[in-house]
Amino acid sequence: MRQTFARLGDSPLGPAVLGIAYFASALLSLVMTRGAHGIAAIWPPSGILLATLLVVPRHAVWRFAMAAIIASFAANLLAGSGFCVSIGFTAANGLEAMVATLLLRRRSGARVSFINPSGLSAFFVASLIASLVSALVATCISPRLNGEFLLSWFSTVWLGMLLVTPLLLAAFELSLSTRRRVSGRDAINLSGIVLLTVIAASFTFYQTQYPMLFVPMMVIVIAVLRGGMLGGIISMMVVVVLGSLALFWGSGPIFLIRASSDTRLLFFQFYLLSLFVSSLPMATLLAARDRLRVNLSERIRLLDQAEAAAHIGHWRVNSIDQTIFWSPEVFRMHGLPEGKPPALEQAIDLYHQDDRQGVSEVIALALAEGQPFAFEARIVRPDGSVRYVATQGERDYSSTDDAIGLFGLIRDVTEQIEAQQVLKESRDAANRSAAAAMLLASTDVLTGLANRRRIIEYLDDALTDNETGKAALSVILFDIDHFKAVNDRYGHDIGDDVIKRVASSANGCLRNTDLIGRYGGEEFVIILPKTDREVALQIAERVRASIEASWDDGQPKVTVSLGIASTRDGDTCDVILKRADIALYEAKHAGRNRLRLAS
């Protein structure tokens, strides 16, 4: 749009077209005037020039202004004004457009908008100031310096800018815009507005029997409602043209006024001003409403897209009638078509039966106390699929009726929950695998007891605890008597069975806090935490007796020799095992199947 106006300002035909339009409209207005001093009922050239100066680039303003000045001077001369008066009137007309342009561009930049009340107010004030300045200058130039001339000039110029400028700006934008083409329906609508206004204006102004000046106002209101800003301006321009022609021909209810021609002209001008003040602000408010509606619709569309992308919806519960509102994404989460949301109780029934009670209690508590809330639950869709949702919200006050309700956000977290479940299962499996690996690394395969590595680790830890001042620790080291002979006579398979039988028998004699392990071959170690030598001797004897008594038919009967050692200051793992080993060999040298206590 701005580039189009720039091309228009740089075109050499632009000032010429403006000059011709300005000259023709000025001459026609002067010829049609009915008042004294050559004052027209409305001065369209002011509106034409102001609209042009508002749309062309700043660097081209002077070219269009010069074209309008030349056209104004020529029109005033042809209308019968003297040379000096024509120069003064031309200066006044040029000054009014320049002042209004300066005020409007300083406030609004390169473009004046009539679709918001502030823009219309700025235009109203700027045109008022510009018209007043022009009227003061023209009154000083006029041969008859009086208030009536000042008021006539002021109202004529002001009406010209108020009525013509908005129409031309709307026409400029409509003709140059690529996105707002007039559809066939719009054209028919505008044509109907023109026809209705022509009928109403003709009925009003072309008879002098009844004062029907209120009829055009009714039609203009209809035009605004049907055609917006453009329809209202077009309808007003039709009223202006037909009313001015009727005034020129001496027809209309205005001639029911028993006054001078100047007074009738002023009455007609202020009648047109009242039409403007009554209709154009309404059109502006309607345009602002439509723009807000479009913006709101666009924001809602973008919000719906954002919610769909993020799998987040919003809802509201009215605490008075228990009605609820769902955004489109909430319907999608529940697997329901968009439409009227279910009642509150029915919405709660859509949750998994194990979650309904909790959800109902949270909602009831939030409605009663107004505290923020958050919960996770499962939704069961009509097809039976289950979705996990996370909901959070707080108390909300309606902007329309001040009703207290709840506003909340609901987020589909099914993928996160499923990912967490997969991660948990993977972590549990990894932990089980690690535990199994650790158990395998610390377990003797044949007997299922602790292996040598585990024995050493456990004994080191126990000795560390003993250094911190805890009770004594004892170690029993034993092996199977004449085990080589068993292997040689019965074979290694029977030998393995004997080792397992001995391990089982010894393990059955121990406490839960004790640890037994296979130290290597047929040799075993028992670690007795918090156990002194007397108790250790009792446990060792119980182990020896149990192994001696445990044998089955077909299996060789075996015995064990045991060495017991209890901790002393400065003992290490190797030291205490060495002393237990010495005691074990003492038991063997003493005849086997017996135990000895290390010195």
Side-chain angles (χ1 to χ4, degrees), residues 82-355:
F83 184 82
C84 292
V85 172
S86 297
I87 292 178
F89 285 175
T90 299
N93 288 137
L95 187 61
E96 69 203 17
M98 296 300 294
V99 169
T101 302
L102 179 63
L103 293 175
L104 289 173
R105 282 201 161 181
R106 175 173 293 181
R107 179 191 180 277
S108 305
R111 184 178 180 185
V112 178
S113 175
F114 296 100
I115 63 174
N116 59 75
S118 62
L120 180 62
S121 300
F123 173 72
F124 191 86
V125 172
S127 60
L128 174 66
I129 295 174
S131 300
L132 184 58
V133 171
S134 176
L136 290 173
V137 173
T139 302
C140 294
I141 301 299
S142 175
R144 296 182 62 183
L145 182 63
N146 55 52
E148 186 177 358
F149 179 86
L150 174 68
L151 184 60
S152 296
W153 184 285
F154 166 76
S155 58
T156 300
V157 171
W158 194 25
L159 280 172
M161 287 190 285
L162 288 180
L163 297 177
V164 177
T165 300
L167 178 64
L168 291 181
L169 290 179
F172 285 155
E173 291 196 10
L174 192 64
S175 62
L176 298 177
S177 175
T178 59
R179 293 180 295 177
R180 294 185 55 191
R181 297 297 183 187
V182 178
S183 63
R185 182 178 179 180
D186 292 334
I188 294 175
N189 192 36
L190 292 177
S191 299
I193 289 173
V194 172
L195 179 61
L196 181 62
T197 308
V198 168
I199 294 174
S202 300
F203 178 73
T204 299
F205 295 113
Y206 292 96
Q207 55 85 26
T208 56
Q209 187 174 0
Y210 303 104
M212 305 295 290
L213 293 175
F214 62 89
V215 175
M217 170 59 71
M218 298 170 56
V219 176
I220 290 175
V221 170
I222 296 174
V224 169
L225 295 176
R226 293 290 300 175
M229 173 84 61
L230 183 61
I233 294 174
I234 290 176
S235 181
M236 288 183 61
M237 290 304 301
V238 172
V239 172
V240 169
V241 171
L242 294 182
S244 298
L245 290 173
L247 189 65
F248 176 75
W249 288 324
S251 174
I254 293 177
F255 286 92
L256 294 175
I257 301 174
R258 295 181 179 180
S260 65
S261 298
D262 291 344
T263 303
R264 293 193 188 102
L265 178 61
L266 284 174
F267 177 83
F268 180 65
Q269 290 173 333
F270 281 99
Y271 169 73
L272 295 179
L273 180 61
S274 67
L275 293 182
F276 174 87
V277 172
S278 301
S279 59
L280 201 58
M282 181 176 64
T284 297
L285 293 175
L286 290 176
R289 182 203 63 182
D290 293 339
R291 184 181 61 177
L292 290 175
R293 183 182 298 169
V294 171
N295 291 340
L296 179 60
S297 176
E298 180 65 11
R299 290 186 179 184
I300 292 176
R301 184 184 68 83
L302 294 177
L303 176 61
D304 290 343
Q305 287 186 353
E307 288 189 350
H311 302 295
I312 296 177
H314 67 276
W315 54 266
R316 189 182 188 276
V317 177
N318 189 311
S319 61
I320 297 178
D321 55 13
Q322 302 292 297
T323 57
I324 62 176
F325 164 80
W326 280 359
S327 67
E329 184 61 20
V330 181
F331 283 97
R332 286 191 286 269
M333 288 184 191
H334 287 78
L336 298 174
E338 292 186 32
K340 183 179 180 181
L344 180 59
E345 293 184 359
Q346 295 174 339
I348 294 177
D349 289 339
L350 297 175
Y351 285 91
H352 193 279
Q353 59 182 2
D354 296 338
D355 299 336

Side-chain angles (χ1 to χ4, degrees), residues 39-107:
I39 303 298
I42 179 176
W43 190 248
S46 298
I48 296 174
L49 178 56
L50 177 57
T52 304
L53 297 184
L54 288 176
V55 298
V56 298
R58 293 179 185 273
H59 67 270
V61 166
W62 67 272
R63 297 171 52 228
F64 286 86
M66 288 300 300
I69 289 173
I70 295 173
S72 176
F73 179 73
N76 277 283
L77 283 178
L78 289 177
S81 299
F83 184 82
C84 292
V85 172
S86 297
I87 292 178
F89 285 175
T90 299
N93 288 137
L95 187 61
E96 69 203 17
M98 296 300 294
V99 169
T101 302
L102 179 63
L103 293 175
L104 289 173
R105 282 201 161 181
R106 175 173 293 181
R107 179 191 180 277

Side-chain angles (χ1 to χ4, degrees), residues 447-524:
T447 62
L449 302 178
N451 60 12
R452 183 186 185 96
R453 174 184 174 184
R454 176 59 179 154
I455 292 170
I456 299 300
E457 290 177 351
Y458 188 83
L459 184 55
D460 280 334
D461 292 340
L463 289 172
T464 301
D465 289 341
N466 187 63
E467 291 176 356
T468 61
K470 295 185 178 180
L473 176 143
S474 297
V475 173
I476 301 173
L477 183 63
F478 70 92
D479 67 3
I480 302 173
D481 296 330
H482 304 294
F483 183 71
K484 184 177 184 302
V486 173
N487 273 336
D488 292 343
R489 181 178 179 182
Y490 296 98
H492 288 285
D493 290 340
I494 297 299
D496 289 344
D497 290 339
V498 169
I499 291 175
K500 290 190 287 184
R501 189 182 77 213
V502 169
S504 178
S505 297
N507 193 35
C509 299
L510 302 179
R511 302 165 300 183
N512 292 334
T513 56
D514 303 332
L515 176 69
I516 181 173
R518 186 182 178 195
Y519 199 61
E522 73 278 12
E523 196 170 28
F524 296 84

Side-chain angles (χ1 to χ4, degrees), residues 316 318 320-321 397-405:
R316 189 182 188 276
N318 189 311
I320 297 178
D321 55 13
Y397 293 89
S398 173
S399 59
T400 56
D401 54 12
D402 292 331
I404 299 176

